[in-house]
Amino acid sequence: MFSLGNEIKLTVFGSSHGPYIGGTVDGIPAGINIDLEFIQRWLDRRKPGQSLITTQRNEDDTIEIIGGCRNGFTDGSPFTFIFKNKDYIDRHYDELRDNPRPGHADLTMFYKYGEYRNYEGGGFFSGRMTMPLVAAGALAMHILKKYNIKIVTYIKSAGGISMASKVPVDENYVYGFKTRMPDRENDELLYQKILRIIKEGDSLGSIISTEVYNVPSGVGEPFFNSVESEISKAMFSIPGLKAIEFGSGFMLGGMRGSEANDEFYIENGKIITRTNNSGGILGGITNGMPVTFNIAMKPTSSIRLPQKTVNIKSMEPSEVKVTGRHDPFISFRAVPVIQTLTAFVILDLMMSRKAL
């Protein structure tokens, strides 16, 4: 089992081709209303088979609560839930047992776990392990509603197509777009590009942006539990996520201090900044401005094009061509994972500060 969090702790278990995947959230106070419809809506935004540009694996991804809930409210014990896997085909991975896919964790899994490794479907390195992240994050998002904290996540750029327009402060807005790039013209351009990528047997990466509004100032626990470090730790649990930057990120490396510094002023009795290059965080602590960050999601490693590899038994060069069902644009389903997982981290940090 694997765990995340401090005041609230999420533990996940299961694997891609095992009978179940699940999670436990410990530390949620008793008396919190469990809105199952709300949680399931976010899970449905993550599940496979919902679009031509996602894997066609057919799973319900329906949450089943098995502990921590009584009459629709948390009871103070660990909130525990499971999902049943039903549509997995192990034979798609027979050839991959000894021929690791480039870009996947197949080789490092062999180095660490040897012949006993759980390799079908990527085992517990699979993107299906993000289901419990979404379930726990949706619960956190539901709790954060009381504090008017809103989290917006969307595809900012992919395949050479970028958007620069402002996105409404609406957590659901992006889900009205085919690619989750919330710009009508670019959304269609990207959709057509992904369809071409599918025909070519290849995949596509992206930059995904997140903006968190109305987080109280003073949240964050330096040195080692800063807002940046806690969000980063959580984000790197998502398969395929390879980089993160806060605020203006790497662009700050090309700026002068006079350009980068966010000047303060007072508006309606509150200290705010004229720019937000710092991404709403100074010294690892929130300053009251929106918390913003971008992540880089690499192209899905499972592609239908032949790739050079090495047979780990014979130690001879070999070739692998991945069959089965895989996302050509995993970023599409990563959006709700990032969005809800951010909510989990923000709730955990606020509970650490006793800001609830």
Side-chain angles (χ1 to χ4, degrees), residues 19-89:
Y20 294 98
I21 288 173
T24 293
V25 184
D26 197 8
I28 298 291
I32 300 295
N33 170 245
I34 301 298
D35 189 339
L36 265 183
E37 183 179 336
F38 181 82
I39 294 173
Q40 191 62 55
R41 186 185 315 138
W42 286 97
L43 288 163
D44 289 346
R45 289 168 171 173
R46 191 223 68 93
K47 76 176 183 180
Q50 59 183 292
S51 166
L52 289 175
I53 63 172
T54 66
T55 171
Q56 296 306 297
R57 179 169 173 171
N58 182 23
E59 297 283 2
D60 296 330
D61 289 359
T62 302
I63 189 170
E64 179 182 347
I65 298 174
I66 60 173
C69 180
R70 182 175 179 274
N71 298 327
F73 292 85
T74 56
D75 62 12
S77 66
F79 179 66
T80 306
F81 48 88
I82 58 172
F83 305 91
K84 187 173 183 179
N85 288 327
K86 65 173 187 177
D87 186 24
Y88 50 90
I89 306 173

Side-chain angles (χ1 to χ4, degrees), residues 218-295:
V219 172
E221 305 296 325
F223 288 95
F224 303 117
N225 298 102
S226 68
V227 177
E228 294 103 326
S229 58
E230 292 298 298
I231 289 176
S232 297
K233 179 180 179 181
M235 290 302 124
F236 280 108
S237 68
I238 301 172
L241 194 150
K242 294 303 291 183
I244 188 167
E245 64 175 6
F246 291 86
S248 294
F250 287 102
M251 290 197 306
L252 291 167
M255 292 183 184
R256 298 184 179 189
S258 56
E259 299 170 307
N261 291 343
D262 300 312
E263 294 186 342
F264 302 117
Y265 71 103
I266 296 176
E267 184 177 280
N268 299 323
K270 181 181 177 182
I271 300 175
I272 60 177
T273 61
R274 298 189 186 280
T275 53
N276 195 22
N277 290 316
S278 65
I281 307 164
L282 293 169
I285 302 168
T286 57
N287 63 10
M289 295 296 289
V291 173
T292 65
F293 61 92
N294 298 317
I295 67 94

Side-chain angles (χ1 to χ4, degrees), residues 83-160:
F83 305 91
K84 187 173 183 179
N85 288 327
K86 65 173 187 177
D87 186 24
Y88 50 90
I89 306 173
D90 286 347
R91 68 174 183 273
H92 286 163
Y93 294 86
D94 289 346
E95 182 187 356
L96 303 179
R97 176 182 175 88
D98 299 321
N99 298 281
R101 296 164 292 178
H104 267 286
D106 297 352
L107 182 60
T108 49
M109 192 191 309
F110 169 71
Y111 287 152
K112 190 167 183 67
Y113 303 110
E115 64 177 301
Y116 300 103
R117 68 196 184 282
N118 184 345
Y119 67 91
E120 292 96 346
F124 48 76
F125 292 91
S126 167
R128 282 197 64 69
M129 296 303 295
T130 60
M131 260 193 305
L133 306 186
V134 172
L139 174 60
M141 187 178 283
H142 177 64
I143 296 171
L144 291 175
K145 278 184 177 182
K146 180 179 177 181
Y147 303 93
N148 197 34
I149 293 173
K150 296 183 182 297
I151 303 166
V152 177
T153 302
Y154 57 95
I155 306 291
K156 186 174 185 179
S157 67

